[in-house]
Amino acid sequence: MEVCYQLPVLPLDRPVPKHVLSRRGAISFSSSSSLFGAPDPRQLSQRRGAISYDSSDQTALYIRMLGACVVFKQLFARDVRVRSQVGFEPERRSSHPYLCIDFRTLHTRLGSGSTSASSAPERRVHRLLSFQRYLHSSRLLRGIPQQIPLHILDEDYTGQARCMLEKVGSWNFDIFLFDRLTNGNSLITLTFHLLNQYGLVELFQLDMVKLWRFLVMVQEDYHSDNPYHNAVHAADVTQAMYCYLREPMLCKSLTSCDILLGLLAAATHDLDHPGVNQLFLIKTDHYLATLYRNTSVLENHHWKSAVGLLRETGLFSHLPAEDSLNMERQLGSLILATDISRQNEYLSKFRTHLDLDDLCLSNASHRHFVLQMALKCADICNPCRPWELSKQWSEKVTEEFFQQGDIEKKHKLEVSPLCDRDTNTVGNIQIGFITYVVEPLFAEWARFSDTRVSQTMLGHLGLNKASWGSLQQEQTPGSEEAEPSTAGTDPEATTAASAQPDGSTATATRGTSSKEIPQGSRES
C-alpha cells in the first residue's frame, strides 16, 4: 500500500475535486469499510499514490499523518548518518521540528469547523535553526504586498545601492546608508557582489540558489535586536576585509581560495551572537560555556554555526569531501583568531615576523596568518573609520555593554567590566580601547602594508581619539576624569597586555583574566 504524505489539505465536509481523484493505485475508506478489508466499490476513487476519505471517516487521515511522520523520521535518520560521516556535528538546533508536532492538534483544527481552507491561512512549520531565524523566518524574498506599491521606491533605492557598490573599495564607505538602501539586506547584497566580482561563483562552480540561500540564512542568524553585533556589523567587517584584500601586499599573493575564505569568515565571524559577552555566559552556566569549556566560547559558536549553514545548504557539497573539510577548518582558524584573549599572542607573532622580515606570502601558512591578522583588523576597525561612522559604532557597542549590565543588575549578578552605565561613558571606554588595543595592532599593520589606506586609518584613529578626549573634557570640565577612567580601560589594557603566547594569562590589575574580559569589548 502506497501512502503519500503530501496530500493536499482539504476540508472534511467537502467532496474531493475530480482533478485530485484521477489518480491510480489508491485506497479510499468510507465509514462502512474496515481499515484492512476490501473497500466498497461504490466508494473507490481513481486516485494515485494518495488516500481519500469522507466526512465520517477519520481513520484515513490518521494514516496519512502517521505516514508523514514515518517518512520524516527516515529522512532525519538519513541526515544524521550523512553528517556523522564527515567529522564533527555542525552546531544547529532543532533542525527537524516536525518530529515533535502534535498531529492530533492539527487533525482537530482541520476537521473542527465548516470554514473553508482558503479563509484561514495555513500555518507554516518554521525551522528552528536559531531563535533569531524563528522570529524572522522567511522575512526576506517573500515578495512585496500588492496593496503597497513599494516596487518603485525599491527600484530607485536599488539603483543608489548599485552606485555605492561601484565604490565598495573606498575606506569611507557608509555601511549604514548602504543598509538603508538595500532595505536591511546589506550583508547579503555586499557579500554576493564581492564573491561575484572576484569571479569566485564561477571559479568554484557555486550553485547560485544554494549561495543565495546560504547568505540569506547567514543574515537571518544575526540578531537584529543587538545594537552592535548584528548583520550590519558583519557587512561592515566584510567591506573592510575587502579593502585589505586589495592591498598590494595581498592582492598579488592570495589565491582564490584564500579570498573566498577571507570573505566568508568576515561575513560569518559573529554569527548568532547572543549580544552578551563570554563572561556573562560563563557566570550564568550557559550551555555554550560548558560545551566549549569556557575557552573562546563565542568564537567557537560562530564557527560551528557557520559550518552548520554550509552543510545545510550544501554550498560546498560538490567539492571533494577532503577539500570541503579543509575549508571548514581554515574558516574556523580565521574566526577563532578574533578572540581578544589571544590578542597579544597574535600581535607578538606578527611583530616578530616584521622584525625578522621573514613573511613569505608564497607560503600557504604565512598567507593564512596574514589573513588572520587582516580579519582581526577588520573586526576592530571602527575607531579607524571617519568620525561620523566611528561615533555611531562606538555608541552602539557601548549600548550593548550597558544592556548586559542592566540584565546583570536585574538578576543580582556582578556587573561585568565596562557594562555599568553608571560608572562608564562612551568616551572613556573608547579612549582606553584605542590606546591599548587598536593603536598597537594598526601600527604593526601599517608596518606590514604601508599604503594610503593604512595611513588614512591611522589618521582617523588619531583624530577620533582626540575627539573623544575633547568630549570627555566637555562633559567633566576642570576634572581629572578627562583621562580614561580605571573602570573603562584597565580590563582592556591589562587583559590584552597580559595574555601569554602559550594561552595562559597574568592576573589583571582588577583581578580580571583574559577569560573574564567581556568579549564584546573588542567590538567584534
Side-chain angles (χ1 to χ4, degrees):
M1 180 176 64
E2 181 181 0
V3 178
C4 177
Y5 63 91
Q6 294 181 340
L7 181 68
V9 178
L10 299 173
L12 299 184
D13 58 345
R14 301 180 110 188
V16 180
K18 292 182 179 180
H19 71 278
V20 176
L21 296 179
S22 59
R23 305 176 73 175
R24 183 186 57 178
I27 300 177
S28 63
F29 299 94
S30 67
S31 57
S32 59
S33 66
S34 62
L35 178 60
F36 297 101
D40 190 336
R42 294 172 298 177
Q43 300 290 335
L44 185 62
S45 59
Q46 301 300 319
R47 301 189 64 188
R48 181 175 57 208
I51 297 176
S52 64
Y53 50 87
D54 59 23
S55 58
S56 61
D57 184 16
Q58 307 297 323
T59 308
L61 181 59
Y62 275 108
I63 292 177
R64 196 188 85 191
M65 294 293 103
L66 293 174
C69 187
V70 170
V71 175
F72 285 144
K73 289 182 178 179
Q74 292 174 349
L75 291 174
F76 175 73
R78 182 182 63 183
D79 185 69
V80 170
R81 288 195 299 271
V82 171
R83 294 186 184 190
S84 63
Q85 294 173 1
V86 291
F88 61 86
E89 178 73 11
E91 184 179 313
R92 311 302 301 159
R93 298 172 298 287
S94 303
S95 299
H96 301 273
Y98 34 68
L99 290 180
C100 57
I101 290 178
D102 188 349
F103 288 108
R104 293 173 298 178
T105 304
L106 180 63
H107 171 269
T108 304
R109 180 172 63 84
L110 291 176
S112 59
S114 60
T115 305
S116 64
S118 60
S119 62
E122 180 181 355
R123 174 172 176 164
R124 300 185 60 189
V125 178
H126 294 282
R127 300 166 56 253
L128 303 181
L129 297 180
S130 73
F131 184 67
Q132 176 71 6
R133 191 178 311 152
Y134 174 75
L135 293 178
H136 302 282
S137 178
S138 299
R139 176 173 60 85
L140 304 171
L141 308 178
R142 296 179 64 178
I144 302 171
Q146 296 181 357
Q147 67 273 18
I148 305 178
L150 290 178
H151 59 277
I152 299 178
L153 181 62
D154 285 350
E155 290 177 359
D156 183 40
Y157 273 43
T158 301
Q160 297 181 49
R162 190 179 301 113
C163 291
M164 287 194 67
L165 286 175
E166 294 177 359
K167 299 181 179 180
V168 69
S170 170
W171 185 251
N172 298 334
F173 190 85
D174 189 342
I175 196 64
F176 297 110
L177 174 60
F178 184 73
D179 190 64
R180 292 192 295 270
L181 295 179
T182 56
N183 196 28
N185 298 322
S186 57
L187 182 58
I188 297 174
T189 309
L190 179 70
T191 308
F192 188 88
H193 171 77
L194 295 179
L195 293 175
N196 189 52
Q197 178 171 294
Y198 273 112
L200 299 174
V201 178
E202 180 179 1
L203 181 62
F204 287 91
Q205 299 181 347
L206 301 179
D207 185 279
M208 296 287 277
V209 175
K210 292 180 179 179
L211 175 60
W212 189 263
R213 181 168 176 251
F214 170 77
L215 294 177
V216 170
M217 293 167 71
V218 166
Q219 179 170 281
E220 288 191 342
D221 266 8
Y222 278 96
H223 297 211
S224 59
D225 54 349
N226 287 346
Y228 183 83
H229 291 101
N230 50 44
V232 183
H233 165 65
D236 183 64
V237 173
T238 304
Q239 190 272 336
M241 190 67 171
Y242 172 67
C243 292
Y244 300 149
L245 295 178
R246 297 173 70 239
E247 291 287 77
M249 290 289 293
L250 293 178
C251 69
K252 299 177 182 179
S253 305
L254 294 179
T255 66
S256 298
C257 185
D258 295 330
I259 296 173
L260 176 63
L261 286 171
L263 293 176
L264 290 182
T268 61
H269 80 283
D270 273 333
L271 192 61
D272 201 28
H273 195 291
V276 293
N277 58 38
Q278 176 173 270
L279 175 59
F280 184 89
L281 298 179
I282 293 175
K283 66 185 178 184
T284 56
D285 293 327
H286 195 274
Y287 80 94
L288 288 177
T290 304
L291 178 63
Y292 299 116
R293 300 181 180 181
N294 300 343
T295 304
S296 299
V297 175
L298 291 173
E299 290 74 23
N300 273 295
H301 176 59
H302 305 325
W303 168 36
K304 296 301 180 65
S305 297
V307 170
L309 291 187
L310 286 173
R311 296 187 180 183
E312 183 178 345
T313 58
L315 185 61
F316 295 150
S317 60
H318 62 288
L319 301 177
E322 183 178 354
D323 293 344
S324 179
L325 287 175
N326 185 52
M327 294 185 72
E328 290 176 358
R329 285 191 291 266
Q330 292 190 63
L331 182 69
S333 177
L334 291 174
I335 295 176
L336 289 174
T338 62
D339 185 358
I340 192 62
S341 67
R342 302 181 63 188
Q343 174 83 357
N344 192 63
E345 172 189 345
Y346 281 94
L347 189 57
S348 298
K349 183 178 179 181
F350 193 38
R351 185 179 291 117
T352 301
H353 277 301
L354 296 178
D355 291 340
L356 298 177
D357 192 22
D358 63 350
L359 274 176
C360 180
L361 296 185
S362 61
N363 184 305
S365 61
H366 284 196
R367 289 199 310 272
H368 186 76
F369 174 69
V370 171
L371 277 179
Q372 290 177 319
M373 299 306 300
L375 183 58
K376 289 177 68 64
C377 289
D379 192 21
I380 62 172
C381 72
N382 301 148
C384 300
R385 297 285 192 179
W387 171 252
E388 295 77 12
L389 301 176
S390 178
K391 185 172 183 291
Q392 293 184 65
W393 285 121
S394 299
E395 292 170 346
K396 289 177 180 296
V397 71
T398 306
E399 179 56 31
E400 190 166 298
F401 294 165
F402 291 166
Q403 286 186 6
Q404 175 181 322
D406 294 340
I407 296 174
E408 291 169 333
K409 291 179 182 178
K410 179 180 178 180
H411 294 281
K412 310 299 182 184
L413 299 173
E414 181 182 358
V415 180
S416 301
L418 310 179
C419 295
D420 191 341
R421 66 175 71 245
D422 297 328
T423 60
N424 294 280
T425 64
V426 180
N428 65 19
I429 291 176
Q430 286 305 306
I431 292 174
F433 179 66
I434 291 173
T435 302
Y436 299 104
V437 179
V438 183
E439 285 181 337
L441 177 61
F442 280 88
E444 298 304 322
W445 180 262
R447 286 180 61 197
F448 166 72
S449 179
D450 188 9
T451 62
R452 182 177 179 179
V453 173
S454 297
Q455 295 305 318
T456 299
M457 291 189 298
L458 291 178
H460 287 314
L461 187 61
L463 291 175
N464 293 337
K465 182 179 179 180
S467 298
W468 285 119
S470 299
L471 288 178
Q472 285 292 98
Q473 291 179 357
E474 293 176 2
Q475 295 172 0
T476 57
S479 171
E480 67 274 12
E481 292 183 6
E483 296 297 325
S485 65
T486 301
T489 61
D490 275 359
E492 286 283 2
T494 56
T495 303
S498 62
Q500 304 300 317
D502 61 357
S504 62
T505 57
T507 304
T509 303
R510 300 182 61 197
T512 303
S513 68
S514 62
K515 292 184 178 181
E516 296 172 334
I517 188 171
Q519 291 292 319
S521 62
R522 60 179 169 87
E523 302 191 15
S524 58

